């Protein structure tokens, strides 16, 4: 098991460029299975979750060609569908959350797919009901395989229909879109997720010959087509990584420029940081975060305590609440973090409390952060990363702490952040990757 050893107190200075978007990568790479022709995708991040999905596609027969760093061509013209029934495939799917996005393309093109309970972050229930209900609305039927604990999904040909999703699930919306693009007739999806990654998926599918309208809204209309063809596509910068870098720059920065962030696709992320006092300058498509010895949490107009909570796009993404919480520990003022979506995502705060943070965990969804304005610095500690976003939040905390910290289980961080220690070390951090059981 690999760990990070972090020497705290070193300030970051310089430029950093965000990687390609992880969540978009998982969606559009899965979409390449919808055609026999070549689909070329660039700006793909070199991270564990994406690499595992690419390998899973190779395992079922997708031809994958690497044209250069982050640039791949996929061709799904000769798939081994028998492999989908193998215990090996089921086992691999159960360890990779992103494998769930293969279901829509397989069902849409071949009329059958298999669902194994996917792995991923330990952040609470991540139900698949939205996916199931959407496929059922399109005419698919489900067969439970008790022996392997999986569901078989079958449909001779999917039929377009109107559906109102029970929640604006991002992966659920993506899966239903990919299943519906070659369904017979017209599919209307209301309460669809509208994140930039969903918009990007729709743009790619339209470039491949699909007919999707309403992109960017929560009402999508899909006119089914008989087949799709090849296309090229470039991923957006990862908005979660951009937000993570803003948090780092606020906590331990001495002037950090985040390059080529695709500002129009960040939504209210910059403003969320501004609400806890972080100064952010927008310069072209870059963000510049100056050195800030103090940052003051705003209050609402009526004087009540600032609350930051997640919501479907264009609301604040839940993936950044962990980072905002850590930044709040050294702000001047108090902020309430309300994590609505996942009931276990805030449980990492006990590690921050051990480091000296003033946090009251009200319940699984809410935490009150009393900022210390650098009067009380965080202490170094030994931690374990429970999920991707808590892992990066703990890394930020360790970078700002007095002393040397250790974070174990950093494979969770590697799932979402490419070569993170080297990129931060280039800015002045002191982070070392180790592969042993030594104790700090």
């Amino acid at each position: 098991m690999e760990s990070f050893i972090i020497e705290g107190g070193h300030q970051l200075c310089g430029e950093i460029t965000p990687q390609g978007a992880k969540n978009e990568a998982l969606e559009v790479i899965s979409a390449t299975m919808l055609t026999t022709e070549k689909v070329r995708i660039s700006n793909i991040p070199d991270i564990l979750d994406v690499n595992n999905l690419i390998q899973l596609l190779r395992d079922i027969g997708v031809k994958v060609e690497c044209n250069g760093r982050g640039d791949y061509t996929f061709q799904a013209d000769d798939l081994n569908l028998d492999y989908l029934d193998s215990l090996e495939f089921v086992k691999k799917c159960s360890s990779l959350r992103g494998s769930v996005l293969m279901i829509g393309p397989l069902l849409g093109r071949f009329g059958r797919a298999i669902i194994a309970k996917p792995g991923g972050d330990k952040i609470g229930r991540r139900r698949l009901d939205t996916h199931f209900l959407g496929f059922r609305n399109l005419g698919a039927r489900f067969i439970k395989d008790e022996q392997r604990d999986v569901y078989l999904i079958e449909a001779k040909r999917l039929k377009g229909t109107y559906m109102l999703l029970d929640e604006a699930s991002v992966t659920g919306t993506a899966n239903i879109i990919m299943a519906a693009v070659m369904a017979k007739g017209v599919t209307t999806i209301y309460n669809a997720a509208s994140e930039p990654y969903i918009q990007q998926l729709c743009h790619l599918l339209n470039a491949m010959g699909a007919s999707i309208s309403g992109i960017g809204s929560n009402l999508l209309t899909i006119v089914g087509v008989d087949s799709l063809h090849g296309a090229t596509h470039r991923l957006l910068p990862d908005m979660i990584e951009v937000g993570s870098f803003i948090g780092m720059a606020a906590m331990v920065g001495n002037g950090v420029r985040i390059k080529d962030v695709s500002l129009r696709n960040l939504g209210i992320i910059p403003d969320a940081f501004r609400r806890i006092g972080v100064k952010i300058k927008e310069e072209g498509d870059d963000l510049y975060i100056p050195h800030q010895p103090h940052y003051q949490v705003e209050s609402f107009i009526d004087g009540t305590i600032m609350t930051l909570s997640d919501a479907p796009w264009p609301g604040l993404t839940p993936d950044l609440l962990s980072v905002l919480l850590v930044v709040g520990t050294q702000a001047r003022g108090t902020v309430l973090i309300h994590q609505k979506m996942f009931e276990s995502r805030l449980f990492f705060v006990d590690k921050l409390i051990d480091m000296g943070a003033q946090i009251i965990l009200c319940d699984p969804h809410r935490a009150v952060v009393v900022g210390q304005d650098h009067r009380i610095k965080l202490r170094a500690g030994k931690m374990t990363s429970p999920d991707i976003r808590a892992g990066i939040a703990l890394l930020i905390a360790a970078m700002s702490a007095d002393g040397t910290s250790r974070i174990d289980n950093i494979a969770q961080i590697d799932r979402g952040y490419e070569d993170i220690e080297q990129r931060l070390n280039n800015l002045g951090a002191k982070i070392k990757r180790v592969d042993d059981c030594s104790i700090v």
Side-chain angles (χ1 to χ4, degrees):
M1 181 176 69
E2 291 188 319
S3 304
F4 280 149
I5 307 298
I6 306 102
E7 187 179 302
H10 295 279
Q11 291 193 324
L12 308 182
C13 182
E15 297 181 350
I16 192 166
T17 302
Q19 67 189 26
K22 172 204 168 188
N23 292 336
E24 181 187 346
L26 297 175
E27 294 173 12
V28 299
I29 289 172
S30 298
T32 64
M33 292 188 294
L34 284 164
T35 178
T36 61
E37 297 185 17
K38 292 182 178 182
V39 179
R40 184 168 181 172
I41 303 173
S42 59
N43 203 30
I44 294 177
D46 182 11
I47 55 177
L48 200 58
D49 273 11
V50 171
N51 293 338
N52 285 343
L53 179 63
I54 292 174
Q55 184 57 50
L56 199 54
L57 263 61
R58 284 192 175 105
D59 291 341
I60 65 172
V62 177
K63 299 181 181 72
V64 181
E65 178 184 357
C66 181
N67 307 304
R69 184 174 177 84
D71 185 344
Y72 289 84
T73 298
F74 303 86
Q75 187 170 18
D77 59 341
D78 186 22
L79 300 188
N80 178 12
L81 298 182
D82 292 337
Y83 181 72
L84 302 177
D85 292 321
S86 69
L87 290 174
E88 181 182 355
F89 177 76
V90 171
K91 183 178 179 180
K92 287 184 176 181
C93 287
S94 65
S95 65
L96 175 62
R97 178 76 194 173
S99 65
V100 73
L101 287 162
M102 297 172 62
I103 301 167
L106 290 170
L107 184 62
R109 181 177 166 193
F110 300 104
R112 64 187 297 267
I114 189 169
I115 290 182
K117 185 177 180 179
D121 294 323
K122 308 304 180 186
I123 57 176
R125 296 176 298 118
R126 303 181 79 173
R127 62 188 183 88
L128 298 178
D129 299 61
T130 303
H131 306 243
F132 276 60
L133 294 170
F135 296 145
R136 185 172 287 142
N137 285 334
L138 292 169
R141 66 189 185 99
F142 293 78
I143 304 169
K144 180 68 182 291
D145 184 334
E146 299 286 352
Q147 183 176 358
R148 292 185 295 169
D149 193 27
V150 298
Y151 281 96
L152 304 176
I153 315 175
E154 296 179 347
K156 287 186 177 180
R157 184 173 183 189
L158 299 176
K159 295 181 180 179
T161 186
Y162 169 87
M163 66 181 80
L164 173 61
L165 302 189
D166 63 329
E167 66 170 345
S169 163
V170 176
T171 54
T173 300
N175 244 338
I176 295 166
I177 290 170
M178 289 187 284
V181 288
M182 291 193 291
K184 183 178 181 180
V186 178
T187 299
T188 304
I189 308 173
Y190 198 16
N191 195 31
S194 57
E195 275 77 356
Y197 308 142
I198 292 290
Q199 298 176 39
Q200 286 285 93
L201 172 64
C202 291
H203 290 315
L204 169 61
L205 291 171
N206 279 351
M208 294 168 65
S211 177
I212 306 172
S213 58
I215 299 172
S217 76
N218 67 348
L219 180 61
L220 296 174
T221 301
I222 304 169
V223 181
V225 297
D226 291 330
S227 63
L228 298 179
H229 52 72
T232 60
H233 181 78
R234 181 174 176 82
L235 302 184
L236 289 175
D238 194 308
M239 70 167 80
I240 312 304
E241 194 171 67
V242 172
S244 302
F245 293 152
I246 293 173
M248 294 175 189
M251 289 280 279
V252 292
N254 190 24
V256 174
R257 178 177 298 276
I258 310 171
K259 298 284 293 180
D260 302 325
V261 300
S262 188
L263 187 60
R264 67 185 182 87
N265 287 299
L266 292 182
I268 65 172
I269 289 173
D271 284 339
F273 283 94
R274 289 183 177 112
R275 287 199 153 190
I276 56 175
V278 179
K279 296 177 182 178
I280 303 174
K281 297 180 180 179
E282 300 173 4
E283 299 177 354
D285 214 22
D286 298 350
L287 295 179
Y288 180 73
I289 297 86
H291 174 65
Q292 297 167 230
H294 306 282
Y295 44 98
Q296 174 76 47
V297 179
E298 294 181 1
S299 60
F300 289 114
I301 293 175
D302 62 0
T304 54
I305 185 172
M306 174 56 58
T307 300
L308 296 176
S309 59
D310 56 331
W313 185 268
L316 181 62
T317 171
D319 285 343
L320 279 176
L321 285 183
S322 300
V323 173
L324 286 159
L325 186 150
V326 169
V327 176
T329 65
Q330 294 301 320
R332 180 183 290 169
T334 301
V335 60
L336 171 64
I337 302 294
H338 190 175
Q339 164 61 261
K340 299 175 183 177
M341 189 172 296
F342 303 114
E343 66 269 20
S344 302
R345 198 164 225 170
L346 293 181
F347 286 167
F348 81 101
V349 302
D350 62 335
K351 304 299 182 185
L352 298 176
I353 293 171
D354 289 343
M355 297 174 75
Q358 300 293 297
I359 303 172
I360 303 168
L361 186 60
C362 307
D363 55 44
H365 294 277
R366 295 176 301 161
V368 175
V369 183
V370 181
Q372 295 301 302
D373 193 23
H374 300 289
R375 294 188 306 271
I376 303 176
K377 293 196 68 174
L378 298 179
R379 300 184 297 269
K382 186 176 186 295
M383 301 157 270
T384 298
S385 174
D387 64 77
I388 303 174
R389 308 311 174 188
I392 203 69
L394 291 173
L395 180 60
I396 296 171
M399 291 165 62
S400 70
D402 278 333
T404 300
S405 299
R406 179 189 183 97
I407 302 177
D408 294 328
N409 194 31
I410 60 170
Q412 286 286 357
I413 300 175
D414 289 337
R415 288 178 49 218
Y417 293 84
E418 177 181 333
D419 195 20
I420 188 65
E421 75 274 21
Q422 185 58 54
R423 295 162 71 201
L424 295 179
N425 286 344
N426 289 341
L427 294 180
K430 298 292 183 183
I431 305 169
K432 182 180 179 182
R433 182 183 294 259
V434 297
D435 187 11
D436 59 41
C437 297
S438 61
I439 298 176
V440 175

